[in-house]
Amino acid sequence: MENQPTPLTPEIVSAILRDPDSPLYPSRITVFCDDCGTEFTGEFMVSAEQTGTERLEVARAHLRTQGWQCDYSGDFCPDHRTNTTPQVLVEVGYERTRQDSKFGEQNHPDGTGLPVYQHSANRYRDQADRNAASGVLAWRDVLLEEVHEALAESDPTKLRAELVQVAAVAVAWVEAIDRRQATKEA
């Protein structure tokens, strides 16, 4: 469905059912934690055109906002969720596919290894160290340090290693955002 899924109230169901043009109808969907068996049952609006998998995904999308981990590995309540790195990497993979679809294969020069980048790498590394020592280290500091270290690198093998570190920090940052959202919405 296009809107963020939420459990239905009687008022919402009544309004939709009174709309003769609406293809949606309420459906009770239950999802179980694959670890402990905790169950969540909610009423969601689905359509006859949706497959069973698509209807389940409506409920799973809502559960993700409640701190559940619902992905290719299964459904896990907030007490039993596992490492979210694989799910974030799946999202990164989808984004790469979208980029290739939109722009085609990209083959630009690296444009790295200039002396100015070594200076900026040192500056951002020192800033991150100072902020860490002061207890105010932010994701911005960590990512900028890694990005500028990559920009300073002219050796392709070392540049590749630095870019993997940039990607890893970006994934860790996304995971931290997801944890904050799950805590805020719980």
Side-chain angles (χ1 to χ4, degrees):
M1 291 180 22
E2 294 154 18
N3 296 337
Q4 181 73 346
T6 58
L8 300 174
T9 64
E11 295 80 19
I12 293 173
V13 172
S14 292
I16 292 172
L17 293 177
R18 282 192 298 267
D19 178 0
D21 296 324
S22 176
L24 302 176
Y25 62 89
S27 180
R28 181 170 294 217
I29 302 172
T30 300
V31 179
F32 297 90
C33 174
D34 291 347
D35 193 315
C36 69
T38 296
E39 79 176 61
F40 171 88
T41 300
E43 299 280 337
F44 297 93
M45 296 306 287
V46 298
S47 71
E49 290 78 36
Q50 290 176 308
T51 65
T53 301
E54 290 170 330
R55 292 175 192 178
L56 176 60
E57 182 54 33
V58 171
R60 293 174 97 207
H62 170 72
L63 286 174
R64 285 187 202 99
T65 71
Q66 305 303 303
W68 282 59
Q69 175 187 340
C70 299
D71 58 32
Y72 69 92
S73 64
D75 300 311
F76 300 95
C77 70
D79 292 336
H80 296 101
R81 56 187 290 141
T82 60
N83 184 350
T84 60
T85 302
Q87 178 60 33
V88 175
L89 293 175
V90 166
E91 292 178 55
V92 171
Y94 285 140
E95 174 58 19
R96 281 294 301 115
T97 300
R98 187 198 68 77
Q99 290 170 355
D100 283 349
S101 175
K102 183 173 182 178
F103 303 112
E105 183 179 288
Q106 301 288 297
N107 293 297
H108 307 294
D110 295 332
T112 62
L114 299 174
V116 67
Y117 294 137
Q118 186 59 55
H119 172 74
S120 67
N122 292 336
R123 191 177 90 226
Y124 281 103
R125 187 179 308 111
D126 292 344
Q127 182 67 45
D129 290 344
R130 281 193 304 275
N131 287 353
S134 300
V136 295
L137 184 68
W139 281 110
R140 166 203 64 231
D141 303 319
V142 180
L143 184 63
L144 286 173
E145 175 186 353
E146 294 300 339
V147 166
H148 286 273
E149 286 176 352
L151 292 174
E153 219 24 91
S154 58
D155 177 83
T157 302
K158 292 179 180 176
L159 173 59
R160 185 184 188 287
E162 290 294 341
L163 289 171
V164 168
Q165 292 175 22
V166 169
V169 168
V171 167
W173 193 350
V174 169
E175 292 171 350
I177 291 168
D178 290 348
R179 285 191 301 274
R180 281 195 307 264
Q181 287 302 109
T183 301
K184 190 186 308 181
E185 294 167 355

